[in-house]
Amino acid sequence: MYVANPTAIKALADVVVSSMQRFRIPLTPENYSLWYEYHIGNNRELQRTMDVIISNSADFDETVLHDLYVTFLSSAKEAEIVRETSVNVQDALRNLISVALRVGVDADEFGAALTELAAMEHTKSTDGLRDLVGHLIGESRKMAEKSQVAGARMRESASKIETLERRLESALVEARTDSLTGLANRRFFDSRLRALAGDAMNSGDELSLLMIDVDRFKRVNDTWGHRVGDELLRHLASTLQRTVRREDLVARYGGEEFAVILPQADAAAAIAVGENIRRALASVPVPLDVTPVMPPATVSIGVSCYQPGDPLSEWVGKADAALYRAKQEGRDQVRYIQ
Amino acid sequence: MTTTTTRLYCLVVDDSLVVRKVARRILNSLKFNVDEAENGQVALDLCGTLMPDLILLDWNMPVMSGIEFVRAFREKYGAVSAKVIFCTTQGDVEHIRDAAAAGANDYIIKPFDAAMLRRKIEAVLGIAA
Ligand SMILES: [Mg+2]
């Protein structure tokens, strides 16, 4: 269903809003986009799932709505990238096949392999698409090797596909990256937090969280300006990346607040990582060319551990409360709330 | 006037000890009798002894998976009143579709908490748990 003119848009909005009222759904942007998607019918999985809920006359409470949003819509940008790229990949496939046929390479060996690939339902997920592109590169290399005549054209095709692969990767990375610091953004953090908590619930492994806030950041901005403030955030980001364990996820949570998810880390291990961060930062002046010289920046850090069965908001709330306590008790310290 | 309340009986089917423990704690607080099974086969056998009112069902399990269980359960016991809520992880949209088609009544996404599970149960059983 494609809606082009203002009257149709208004009519659709009316349908969406009245349907939301019928189910007593609060009119938030998140909820509106869920209901809009439901009625416009592009997202069949979302529609199917909401139908299951409606037919069971289940409640669309806050949790269900948030689950739906996280599951079906918050990754919509990623899905869009996958969709666009898969169209390009299909084009590249068609080219390869026609080149293969034109230069008379053995159709059994190459054409068939490619046609099979093209027919596969590979292109619906990021991983599937990666596999497909990987196969494509392999197949076109094989073709280039086997056919002297077609060598140059095959190499050209192959390099186009490789470019495509790099573009796919970079677009996917961009969708989950904070542009100022290069860390994971809040959206990606939220989805990883949920997924890792699900894993921890299944495996029984420990899972911890650090919330990190730059001390007196406003003063830095007021004294040296926002550009220096931004530089400080980048300095902190790179210190964080260097200091955490390989398996930890560092994200910019918002403003001057950062977060680290630590899989398989109990409270003691998480506090130790927090202490390493605090010390690494406090021990060196901020490497910025400003006058007067900027003293070392400090951070306050709150730590909490995930308890399976507790709401995620409670877990994050505990780390926030621990962070608040670290601030109250004089900043530049790590506090843990059980 | 005297009232006798029959406790509802829930079978928790999951290969994760943590999930079973969390679910049991929540279900006990909702006044359910609870039994546990670590895979679909054990659950199927237990259903032969005493039919649950509610089955909380994991997707990935060794020996017999959640979807295999739902199919075998619906085939063996037909349209009994037992309701099935299956547990999935974020993004397993295919699972949601397949499980609904196989005869599951609803789903819940891991990680779940007490409030989430209570609301699911109330919706599926049509009661205030
Ligand atoms: Mg499992």
Side-chain angles (χ1 to χ4, degrees):
Chain A
M1 180 169 159
Y2 175 68
V3 185
N5 69 72
T7 325
I9 292 171
K10 168 81 171 62
L12 179 63
D14 286 347
V15 170
V16 170
V17 170
S18 72
S19 158
M20 289 177 74
Q21 281 165 345
R22 185 148 40 90
F23 290 101
R24 291 198 213 91
I25 308 299
L27 198 59
T28 65
E30 274 195 9
N31 293 342
Y32 184 82
S33 50
L34 269 176
W35 250 255
Y36 180 85
E37 282 292 326
Y38 175 75
H39 282 281
I40 205 163
N42 284 338
N43 193 330
R44 291 228 309 283
E45 282 83 6
L46 170 68
Q47 220 172 20
R48 173 82 185 79
T49 308
M50 284 175 67
D51 283 339
V52 170
I53 297 172
I54 291 169
S55 68
N56 285 296
S57 52
D59 259 356
F60 283 104
D61 56 45
E62 213 179 304
T63 323
V64 171
L65 289 167
H66 185 71
D67 279 349
L68 284 169
Y69 187 80
V70 168
T71 308
F72 296 100
L73 293 191
S74 74
S75 58
K77 188 169 181 202
E78 206 166 293
E80 197 181 307
I81 292 164
V82 169
R83 225 170 10 247
E84 275 173 19
T85 313
S86 69
V87 169
N88 292 335
V89 167
Q90 296 290 348
D91 281 349
L93 265 172
R94 269 193 295 278
N95 277 338
L96 264 183
I97 293 167
S98 75
V99 172
L101 294 177
R102 228 177 312 147
V103 298
V105 233
D106 188 343
D108 284 345
E109 236 178 305
F110 305 112
L114 289 176
T115 315
E116 196 183 309
L117 274 177
M120 279 182 175
E121 290 259 309
H122 263 304
T123 50
K124 288 196 177 143
S125 72
T126 313
D127 288 344
L129 198 54
R130 273 198 196 107
D131 283 354
L132 176 58
V133 173
H135 278 298
L136 263 178
I137 291 172
E139 287 299 324
S140 50
R141 283 217 182 101
K142 258 194 266 168
M143 280 167 78
E145 276 165 25
K146 294 257 173 145
S147 163
Q148 293 287 329
V149 192
R153 305 180 69 165
M154 287 299 153
R155 272 193 296 278
E156 196 187 315
S157 257
S159 92
K160 268 190 196 145
I161 295 167
E162 279 167 30
T163 309
L164 212 57
E165 186 189 38
R166 280 195 300 276
R167 283 226 305 267
L168 169 67
E169 290 301 326
S170 68
L172 288 173
V173 167
E174 196 180 304
R176 41 179 77 156
T177 304
D178 170 59
S179 58
L180 177 70
T181 60
L183 298 175
N185 59 21
R186 173 66 182 275
R187 188 179 75 81
F188 188 57
F189 169 85
D190 284 344
S191 89
R192 291 305 293 155
L193 190 78
R194 193 164 278 268
L196 288 167
D199 291 349
M201 193 179 202
N202 269 334
S203 66
D205 287 343
E206 308 276 353
L207 181 64
S208 295
L209 176 67
L210 307 182
M211 294 298 287
I212 303 165
D213 194 81
V214 183
D215 294 330
R216 305 189 195 280
F217 184 67
K218 192 177 175 304
R219 192 183 286 178
V220 174
N221 271 336
D222 291 348
T223 312
W224 281 282
H226 288 280
R227 204 184 50 79
V228 172
D230 286 352
E231 286 297 329
L232 173 58
L233 294 180
R234 277 196 277 261
H235 166 61
L236 176 58
S238 69
T239 306
L240 284 171
Q241 288 286 44
R242 272 200 314 275
T243 315
V244 299
R245 308 168 311 160
R246 185 193 297 271
E247 59 271 40
D248 299 336
L249 177 89
V250 184
R252 183 167 178 212
Y253 193 74
E256 68 269 28
E257 200 170 355
F258 296 79
V260 184
I261 312 174
L262 306 97
Q264 296 174 343
D266 60 10
I271 292 167
V273 171
E275 271 301 331
N276 287 342
I277 292 168
R278 191 194 63 74
R279 254 181 277 128
L281 206 67
S283 62
V284 287
V286 179
L288 280 179
D289 189 16
V290 290
T291 318
V293 171
M294 195 189 287
T298 63
V299 287
S300 299
I301 301 179
V303 184
S304 66
C305 301
Y306 175 58
Q307 306 293 334
D310 284 355
L312 295 187
S313 57
E314 196 173 313
W315 176 30
V316 176
K318 273 193 219 166
D320 259 334
L323 168 60
Y324 181 73
R325 190 178 292 172
K327 295 267 182 195
Q328 291 297 85
E329 294 177 4
R331 302 185 177 86
D332 190 20
Q333 51 193 283
V334 181
R335 284 289 172 269
Y336 162 67
I337 290 184
Q338 193 169 9
Chain B
M1 192 178 89
T2 55
T3 44
T4 47
T5 32
T6 320
R7 277 180 167 239
L8 291 169
Y9 168 47
C10 179
L11 183 57
V12 179
V13 192
D14 200 305
D15 60 326
S16 158
L17 182 64
V18 176
V19 173
R20 296 204 304 268
K21 239 166 61 184
V22 168
R24 178 186 279 276
R25 196 184 66 219
I26 296 170
L27 286 158
N28 280 337
S29 78
L30 300 174
K31 309 279 179 250
F32 274 82
N33 285 333
V34 179
D35 243 331
E36 299 175 19
E38 70 269 22
N39 66 55
Q41 187 56 59
V42 175
L44 211 54
D45 296 344
L46 282 173
C47 289
T49 314
L50 181 60
M51 185 54 67
D53 300 289
L54 179 69
I55 300 169
L56 189 63
L57 182 69
D58 185 25
W59 184 271
N60 285 317
M61 289 177 292
V63 186
M64 186 190 276
S65 72
I67 194 84
E68 288 164 348
F69 169 83
V70 182
R71 289 192 187 120
F73 177 80
R74 292 298 184 205
E75 191 179 305
K76 189 167 177 188
Y77 298 106
V80 291
S81 60
K83 302 284 191 199
V84 177
I85 299 177
F86 86 95
C87 292
T88 180
T89 39
Q90 187 187 178
D92 288 343
V93 180
E94 307 281 317
H95 293 184
I96 295 171
R97 196 173 27 216
D98 292 352
N105 299 89
D106 208 337
Y107 72 95
I108 188 165
I109 295 178
K110 286 179 191 174
F112 57 78
D113 58 52
M116 283 164 72
L117 185 57
R118 195 190 66 235
R119 278 189 294 257
K120 282 289 175 195
I121 291 171
E122 287 176 353
V124 165
L125 295 181
I127 52 154

